[in-house]
Amino acid sequence: MTARCVRLSARNADALITSLMLPVMLMLVFVYLFGGAIETGTRYVTYVVPGVLVLCAGYGAAATAVSVSGDMAEGVVDRFRSLDVGGGSVLAGHVAASVVRNAAATAAVFAVAFAIGFRPEAGAAGWLAAVGVLAAYVVAFSWLSAAVGLLARTPEAASGFTFLVLFLPYPSSAFVPVETMPGWLHGFAEHQPATPVIEALRGLLLDRPVGSAPWLALAWCGGILAVSVAASAVLFRRRTA
């Protein structure tokens, strides 16, 4: 199932190019168009890369909703089930393919980031921890996207979830410090899933104190994952009954 989903992603050239290039283009826009006007206490490219990584991860994970909804609409899942393929395998294949797509997109973001001056200071342990936090975010939101894909009746409806996830890093510490935002927005910006993930990546990659950010990030991801897997199981049974 994973190999099938990866092949389908590779054949959809337009979506693949968009998932690889959109985060890179957004990073270049923020660094070169807005970075000079934003004060973060450090070089803006150093500040913004963790946020772009989370933006990239969310966008790539959200594409799972469209692919799952497409499978349900085309009836291919009924054929799989006639071949004794379980629903868990079908959905897990989509999630695993999402991880593969995100790994490629993350590599592209890092390549461009290094080219424009991003210089992380993390050691091996810091890199492993950062990869683990980012992977947890991808897996959690991929399963959430799978649940949305089962809930949506058409791929077009499922694609709306992409914009919601793409928007999530903006009211966070991804592109500007939270304290520079209006006061009424602080509560949401400080207590939403993207912020602890971004703060954890920023601290780990730059070898700075991270406090409780990694644990908060993993707690958010674990909670989203548990709810999403349970919801996916229920929704899959209802859609295929």
Side-chain angles (χ1 to χ4, degrees):
M1 290 296 102
T2 300
R4 167 187 174 267
C5 293
V6 170
R7 286 196 298 271
L8 289 175
S9 297
R11 291 170 185 168
N12 191 350
D14 293 344
L16 184 62
I17 292 173
T18 300
S19 65
L20 291 174
M21 296 304 299
L22 180 62
V24 170
M25 295 303 297
L26 286 173
M27 180 170 61
L28 294 176
V29 167
F30 274 95
V31 171
Y32 289 115
L33 298 186
F34 306 137
I38 300 175
E39 180 57 49
T40 61
T42 183
R43 294 185 64 204
Y44 190 66
V45 64
T46 301
Y47 182 88
V48 80
V49 166
V52 174
L53 289 173
V54 171
L55 182 73
C56 169
Y59 182 80
T64 305
V66 179
S67 58
V68 169
S69 182
D71 274 359
M72 301 304 297
E74 293 169 3
V76 69
V77 173
D78 293 332
R79 178 174 175 80
F80 287 149
R81 297 198 72 191
S82 71
L83 299 172
D84 197 26
V85 176
S89 298
V90 176
L91 297 178
H94 281 287
V95 171
S98 173
V99 174
V100 173
R101 290 194 304 268
N102 271 281
T106 299
V109 169
F110 268 120
V112 175
F114 280 116
I116 63 176
F118 179 62
R119 297 294 180 266
E121 301 175 5
W127 275 102
L128 287 174
V131 169
V133 170
L134 190 60
Y137 186 83
V138 170
V139 171
F141 272 85
S142 295
W143 272 107
L144 178 60
S145 300
V148 172
L150 292 169
L151 190 62
R153 291 299 175 179
T154 64
E156 291 76 14
S159 66
F161 183 67
T162 302
F163 295 98
L164 177 62
V165 177
L166 189 64
F167 174 76
L168 191 61
Y170 286 93
S172 73
S173 62
F175 303 108
V176 297
V178 172
E179 56 269 19
T180 65
M181 299 178 184
W184 55 267
L185 191 56
H186 285 188
F188 177 78
E190 292 173 352
H191 301 96
Q192 59 123 317
T195 296
V197 175
I198 292 165
E199 292 300 322
L201 292 177
R202 188 171 285 136
L204 291 168
L205 292 176
L206 301 178
D207 197 22
R208 296 174 181 173
V210 293
S212 61
W215 305 114
L216 288 173
L218 293 176
W220 267 109
C221 293
I224 292 171
L225 179 62
V227 172
S228 300
V229 170
S232 296
V234 173
L235 291 169
F236 188 86
R237 284 196 298 269
R238 289 184 177 179
R239 287 291 300 270
T240 57

